[in-house]
Amino acid sequence: MEENQREEGGTSLKDIFRTIFTQKWLALIILIVVTIAGTVGIYFGMNYFKREYVASFVLNLPGDDGEKNYYVYPDGTTFYFSDLISKQTLKDVKKSDEAFGGIDVEKMADEGDITIIRTQSSEKGEATYTINVKASYFKNIEVARLFIDKIANVPGSHLAEMNIAYDNKISNVDSLKSYENMITAFEDQCEDLMKQYEQFITEYKPDFVIREGKTLQYYLNEIDTYVNKNQTLAVLKTRVQNEGILKSEELKEDYKAELEQVKRDLVRESSILDAMTAGSTDIQQNSIAIRDQAAKVADLTQRQKDLEKYISADAKTADEAFKKAVADAGEAVKGFTADFKYAAETVYSVALTVSFATSNVITKAGETGLVMSVVISLVAGIILALLIGYIVGAVKLSKRQKAAEEVPAVETEAVAQAAVADAEQTDTAEKDEK
């Protein structure tokens, strides 16, 4: 009765587990092997191709408000932040360190295996950059960390290496024909340096230390004292104009030609001034125009007097003492320029900061963790162990049942054969007796 119910209902769950249990050692071995192999395969194999290194950082550049997706370096070069992962940038970074020799940066760029995302923060007024790169390009995480750090500091490298000509106003001063123009160039250079110091002070405070305790304000005051308080350059220019000091006698012909032109300009501008003072236009507008025109006439008048002095009999070439004074002034201005160059490089290097979101610089993403790898492998191992255990157990059980069914059949045939043999023997014996 029970056997009939089992046949009608199929194999019971109890039968299945009884079958599996007969192969418990095989199932256990399969479970262990699959779990270990699966964990190794997922965590160390599959993760190798799926794993990414991620680094987020804030990049603060001097003079940058963080609102634009590009930055203009002090040397005028424009840098777009997407260029941080350009093929050329990656090549340059690779060349910067022998540890990067095995990184295929061309493939990395061509296949898009490195990306950068820029996120703007409206509250702090700064931008955060996130770099994702496939981990398979690096032999270990240390190389990846160094590589990404180098990428983030590419703008800083440019700031440190750029060579800005801060001496534009005096670059050709020695070729100028007159001392007047030379001293004017010195004045323009000093004025330009003071303006740039004032800009630095506005952005980075006057007590920004450059070297040996000397601040931005110190260097600004040094130039201001030389130019405005001591009036070293103004005194030299006044001597040139009042004494008619020439750099060479050949300049007199140039001054004569310039004097004729100044006289013509003075006649023209004086006529315009006279017409303006006699007019009846708007009072406010007229007063401003008259003031500007009067200043123009005054400059031309002074220039005429200076030129007349240069071509007069009293004009003379500079003596050695004056030449030395001008040379000393040139060296002083060059010194101010060199100090500013050093100050600018210091400001740019210190003002640049790269702040990573984590102390480790990079984190891992896109991979399956060790615990999850074990869990997945364990589940797969259990399923396979049960399945294979049942299949093997069922096959063996089927064979045993078949073998058991074959034994009675053989025995019955043997008995029948024996009975036939006995019957034949009995018949033979009976025949013999007759």
Side-chain angles (χ1 to χ4, degrees):
M1 183 69 176
E2 183 178 345
E3 291 180 357
N4 293 334
Q5 289 178 350
R6 183 175 297 175
E7 290 176 358
E8 293 175 359
T11 303
S12 68
L13 189 62
K14 185 178 180 181
D15 292 336
I16 292 175
F17 279 103
R18 184 183 293 115
T19 302
I20 295 172
F21 187 75
T22 61
Q23 304 300 318
K24 56 183 179 295
W25 296 114
L26 173 63
L28 181 61
I29 292 172
I30 292 173
L31 174 62
I32 294 172
V33 170
V34 171
T35 301
I36 294 174
T39 301
V40 172
I42 294 174
Y43 190 74
F44 297 101
M46 188 172 65
N47 278 348
Y48 177 78
F49 299 99
K50 291 178 59 180
R51 183 185 297 127
E52 286 186 337
Y53 291 134
V54 183
S56 294
F57 58 91
V58 174
L59 184 60
N60 292 314
L61 291 164
D64 179 42
D65 56 10
E67 295 182 356
K68 301 180 291 294
N69 66 344
Y70 65 90
Y71 174 72
V72 180
Y73 290 113
D75 63 358
T77 305
T78 301
F79 180 79
Y80 289 89
F81 291 105
S82 57
D83 292 340
L84 281 172
I85 60 169
S86 68
K87 186 183 293 186
Q88 185 56 53
T89 299
L90 296 177
K91 286 182 178 179
D92 293 340
V93 170
K94 179 178 179 178
K95 292 177 183 177
S96 68
D97 198 310
E98 293 181 356
F100 306 147
I103 303 174
D104 190 349
V105 294
E106 292 195 17
K107 180 182 178 183
M108 183 187 295
D110 291 339
E111 298 193 5
D113 290 334
I114 183 170
T115 60
I116 185 169
I117 299 174
R118 183 176 185 272
T119 306
Q120 182 70 39
S121 173
S122 57
E123 297 180 358
K124 298 182 179 179
E126 62 184 18
T128 299
Y129 303 89
T130 302
I131 291 179
N132 290 59
V133 59
K134 286 287 185 68
S136 56
Y137 286 96
F138 308 96
K139 63 181 181 181
N140 56 54
I141 194 171
E142 295 301 326
V143 174
R145 181 181 292 112
L146 181 60
F147 187 78
I148 293 178
D149 182 74
K150 288 275 189 179
I151 291 176
N153 281 280
V154 164
S157 299
H158 182 87
L159 285 171
E161 296 170 1
M162 65 182 179
N163 186 20
I164 302 176
Y166 295 108
D167 60 348
N168 290 333
K169 300 293 190 302
I170 59 172
S171 58
N172 64 338
V173 68
D174 294 331
S175 64
L176 297 177
K177 293 182 178 180
S178 69
Y179 285 121
E180 185 179 24
N181 289 342
M182 289 180 67
I183 296 169
T184 299
F186 295 152
E187 290 175 330
D188 292 343
Q189 179 69 13
C190 289
E191 182 180 357
D192 187 58
L193 293 177
M194 286 191 289
K195 287 181 179 178
Q196 294 187 72
Y197 271 124
E198 289 170 353
Q199 184 177 355
F200 278 157
I201 288 172
T202 300
E203 294 181 9
Y204 306 108
K205 298 182 180 180
D207 57 354
F208 189 107
V209 177
I210 303 301
R211 60 182 169 188
E212 299 174 356
K214 297 177 181 179
T215 64
L216 288 171
Q217 188 65 55
Y218 171 88
Y219 287 108
L220 174 60
N221 292 342
E222 190 177 37
I223 301 176
D224 183 63
T225 299
Y226 182 82
V227 175
N228 298 318
K229 293 182 180 178
N230 296 342
Q231 296 200 344
T232 306
L233 298 177
V235 170
L236 286 175
K237 182 181 279 189
T238 300
R239 282 192 60 190
V240 171
Q241 295 169 341
N242 293 343
E243 299 176 23
I245 300 176
L246 302 174
K247 199 172 182 182
S248 68
E249 287 290 338
E250 298 174 356
L251 281 175
K252 284 189 175 183
E253 294 302 320
D254 294 336
Y255 285 140
K256 287 178 181 179
E258 184 182 349
L259 178 59
E260 293 303 317
Q261 183 61 47
V262 168
K263 286 179 178 180
R264 289 192 292 270
D265 293 341
L266 182 57
V267 170
R268 183 181 68 255
E269 299 300 333
S270 296
S271 299
I272 294 174
L273 179 60
D274 292 340
M276 292 174 68
T277 55
S280 58
T281 57
D282 180 75
I283 296 176
Q284 181 66 23
Q285 182 179 354
N286 194 43
S287 63
I288 296 174
I290 290 174
R291 184 189 64 192
D292 294 342
Q293 188 65 24
K296 187 183 294 184
V297 171
D299 290 340
L300 287 169
T301 301
Q302 183 60 50
R303 185 58 181 166
Q304 180 180 344
K305 291 179 180 180
D306 293 339
L307 291 170
E308 289 173 347
K309 187 70 175 180
Y310 291 142
I311 64 176
S312 68
D314 296 333
K316 59 184 178 180
T317 56
D319 57 22
E320 293 302 318
F322 185 81
K323 289 179 180 179
K324 184 177 184 307
V326 173
D328 290 343
E331 290 302 316
V333 174
K334 288 178 182 177
F336 295 147
T337 304
D339 287 340
F340 179 78
K341 179 178 175 62
Y342 184 86
E345 291 173 350
T346 302
V347 167
Y348 294 143
S349 62
V350 174
L352 167 71
T353 58
V354 179
S355 304
F356 286 94
T358 64
S359 59
N360 290 329
V361 177
I362 59 176
T363 56
K364 298 177 183 178
E367 67 175 5
T368 305
L370 181 59
V371 174
M372 184 56 67
S373 298
V374 172
V375 170
I376 293 173
S377 301
L378 182 61
V379 171
I382 291 172
I383 294 173
L384 284 174
L386 293 176
L387 182 61
I388 295 174
Y390 177 74
I391 293 172
V392 172
V395 170
K396 288 186 175 181
L397 179 61
S398 176
K399 288 182 177 180
R400 284 199 299 270
Q401 290 176 345
K402 187 176 181 180
E405 291 173 355
E406 289 178 352
V407 169
V410 170
E411 291 177 350
T412 300
E413 183 178 354
V415 170
Q417 290 177 353
V420 170
D422 290 343
E424 290 178 350
Q425 290 178 356
T426 302
D427 292 340
T428 304
E430 290 177 352
K431 289 179 181 180
D432 292 338
E433 290 178 355
K434 288 180 179 182

